[in-house]
């Protein structure tokens, strides 16, 4: 082909956008969340947050001209399924990074897959101790229970005047057991006596025996480390046995689903989170309005954290040179993430390095202040 003919062809290709399209590429992002099963109470909101963020980012030009492509898989809130999904996303779909999984239990099982393959695993709802100690490719923007629970108890005690409490926790889940450990430490540090400690398991539906024992000890509040599937029925049955006291919950209880599941028994639940729908920052107002417009419902903490996580990751992606060498791109993303700072729906955010296992490099936790809220008349109200 003559040079002049080649030049004419190139001009034509540029004019039609073919060359530009060839230069741009989709950045495949794995999303492993519980979209069915009990943990879908959180996972669906998380997926929504990612979809809203990706849609807005792509509409604004993507990442240096490259579009985000979400590859979404249902890990069902199960450890084995989370492992399978991580393997599929990393090795078959060849994603740049993986968001998820939803539960801390699943993260403990699946995140080592990402670490071994040198692929970023970014949790937006895992708050149990030890997740980020798995390795230096493990990140999360969900504030740990160890950071949130002491402040939740302090604020609840200030407003309710509680002097002693009882505790209920799930004894077969990494998250709820970690929550119990952190609640127990915080109560000891604050010198608040525990009148009784009762346990339950995932899938339990009758809690009246434990609640009746707790009632006999006359606590001023019930500290509850539970996922919403068990936590909401516990609130209902507590009132049924005449245990009418405030509830102090962990991250698993901070969901608008409590108003549907506990109905008229959902008042006086104290929770902590970096996010509240009542937080009137411009970033949160914009997020809330966009979420309501797209999904015809109010967002929750989990949607907000996913939304912000996508934006945090994109700031790091903007520093990555996409050359087609996937492993180099994965490593470059990991190297860029720790220094990222972002102010979004959940407020100002930065990472802090976690403690590794056996002296090995660790991942990164969230550095954010919690907002303490209490439920009343079907919504959360901020308290200080």
């Amino acid at each position: 082909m003559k040079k002049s003919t080649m030049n004419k062809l190139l001009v034509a290709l540029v004019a039609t956008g073919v060359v530009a399209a060839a230069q741009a590429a989709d950045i495949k992002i794995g999303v492993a969340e519980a979209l069915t099963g009990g943990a879908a109470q959180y996972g669906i909101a998380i997926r929504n947050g990612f979809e809203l963020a990706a849609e807005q980012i792509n509409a604004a030009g993507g990442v240096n001209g490259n579009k985000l492509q979400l590859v979404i898989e249902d890990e069902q809130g199960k450890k084995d399924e989370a492992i399978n999904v991580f393997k599929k996303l990393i090795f078959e779909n060849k994603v740049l990074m993986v968001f998820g999984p939803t539960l801390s239990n699943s993260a403990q099982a699946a995140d080592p897959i990402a670490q071994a393959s040198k692929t970023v695993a970014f949790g937006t709802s895992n708050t149990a101790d030890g997740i980020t100690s798995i390795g230096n490719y493990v990140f999360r923007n969900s504030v740990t229970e160890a950071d949130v629970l002491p402040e939740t108890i302090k604020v609840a005690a200030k407003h309710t005047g509680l002097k002693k409490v009882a505790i209920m926790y799930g004894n077969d889940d990494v998250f709820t057991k970690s929550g119990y450990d952190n609640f127990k430490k915080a109560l000891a540090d604050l010198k608040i006596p525990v009148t009784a400690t009762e346990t339950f398991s995932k899938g339990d539906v009758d809690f009246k025996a434990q609640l009746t024992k707790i009632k006999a000890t006359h606590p001023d509040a019930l500290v509850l480390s539970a996922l919403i599937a068990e936590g909401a029925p516990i609130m209902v049955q507590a009132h049924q046995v005449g245990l009418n006291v405030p509830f102090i919950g962990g991250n698993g209880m901070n969901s608008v689903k409590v108003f549907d599941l506990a109905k008229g028994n959902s008042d006086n639940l104290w929770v902590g989170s970096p996010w509240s729908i009542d937080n009137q920052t411009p970033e949160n107002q914009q997020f809330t309005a966009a979420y309501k417009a797209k999904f015809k419902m109010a967002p929750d903490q989990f949607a907000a954290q996913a939304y912000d996580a996508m934006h945090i990751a994109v700031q790091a992606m903007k520093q990555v040179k996409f050359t087609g060498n996937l492993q180099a791109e994965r490593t470059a993303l990991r190297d860029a993430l720790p220094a990222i700072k972002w102010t979004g729906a959940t407020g100002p955010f930065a990472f802090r390095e976690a403690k590794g296992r056996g002296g090995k490099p660790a991942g990164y936790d969230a550095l954010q202040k919690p907002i303490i809220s209490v439920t009343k008349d079907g919504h959360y109200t901020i308290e200080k």
Side-chain angles (χ1 to χ4, degrees), residues 43 219 281:
T281 64

Side-chain angles (χ1 to χ4, degrees), residues 235-299:
M235 293 179 68
V236 173
Q237 291 175 35
H239 288 98
Q240 290 173 349
V241 302
L243 183 60
N244 301 310
V245 296
F247 298 87
I248 302 174
N251 184 61
M253 293 298 294
N254 191 16
S255 170
V256 291
K257 293 293 183 181
V258 73
F259 303 121
D260 296 327
L261 298 176
K263 302 189 188 310
N265 300 284
S266 60
D267 281 359
N268 221 0
L269 167 65
W270 294 80
V271 293
S273 163
W275 181 84
S276 169
I277 198 168
D278 289 335
N279 194 3
Q280 298 300 308
T281 64
E283 294 85 0
N284 192 39
Q285 288 181 315
Q286 290 168 8
F287 159 70
T288 301
Y291 190 96
K292 287 180 176 178
K294 182 174 177 62
F295 299 107
K296 312 305 178 187
M297 66 178 76

Side-chain angles (χ1 to χ4, degrees), residues 101-328:
T102 301
L103 301 180
S104 295
N105 244 8
S106 300
Q108 285 281 22
D111 283 1
I113 305 295
Q115 178 65 32
S117 63
K118 295 185 177 180
T119 304
V120 167
F122 195 137
T124 67
S125 55
N126 317 138
T127 56
D129 294 340
I131 301 293
T132 46
S133 67
I134 289 170
N136 61 343
Y137 278 78
V138 181
F139 292 75
R140 60 180 166 186
N141 72 326
S142 40
V143 183
T144 67
E145 296 285 71
D147 291 328
V148 173
L149 299 186
E151 189 64 22
T152 308
I153 294 171
K154 282 181 189 176
V155 174
K158 173 184 173 182
H159 287 274
T160 65
L162 64 85
K163 302 297 183 185
K164 57 188 185 300
V165 302
I167 302 177
M168 280 189 74
Y169 74 97
N171 63 358
D172 62 343
D173 183 274
V174 168
F175 162 72
T176 52
K177 286 194 290 185
S178 176
Y180 165 69
D181 291 338
N182 284 296
F183 267 132
K184 185 178 178 181
K185 182 181 185 301
L187 291 166
D189 290 345
L190 294 169
K191 295 180 171 56
I192 298 175
V194 177
T195 65
T197 301
E198 295 288 334
T199 65
F200 57 88
S201 300
K202 280 184 182 178
D204 286 355
V205 295
D206 189 349
F207 309 94
K208 289 182 180 177
Q210 298 100 310
L211 292 166
T212 299
K213 290 179 184 177
I214 286 172
K215 181 187 175 185
T217 68
H218 305 291
D220 299 321
L222 178 57
V223 170
L224 185 57
S225 184
L227 297 171
I228 197 73
E230 289 77 36
I234 286 172
M235 293 179 68
V236 173
Q237 291 175 35
H239 288 98
Q240 290 173 349
V241 302
L243 183 60
N244 301 310
V245 296
F247 298 87
I248 302 174
N251 184 61
M253 293 298 294
N254 191 16
S255 170
V256 291
K257 293 293 183 181
V258 73
F259 303 121
D260 296 327
L261 298 176
K263 302 189 188 310
N265 300 284
S266 60
D267 281 359
N268 221 0
L269 167 65
W270 294 80
V271 293
S273 163
W275 181 84
S276 169
I277 198 168
D278 289 335
N279 194 3
Q280 298 300 308
T281 64
E283 294 85 0
N284 192 39
Q285 288 181 315
Q286 290 168 8
F287 159 70
T288 301
Y291 190 96
K292 287 180 176 178
K294 182 174 177 62
F295 299 107
K296 312 305 178 187
M297 66 178 76
D300 63 10
Q301 166 197 345
F302 302 97
Q305 288 175 176
Y307 179 85
D308 279 0
M310 182 64 77
H311 282 282
I312 292 164
V314 162
Q315 301 315 301
M317 288 178 208
K318 289 178 179 178
Q319 301 177 33
V320 175
K321 293 182 179 179
F322 291 97
T323 62
N325 185 334
L326 179 59
Q327 195 54 61

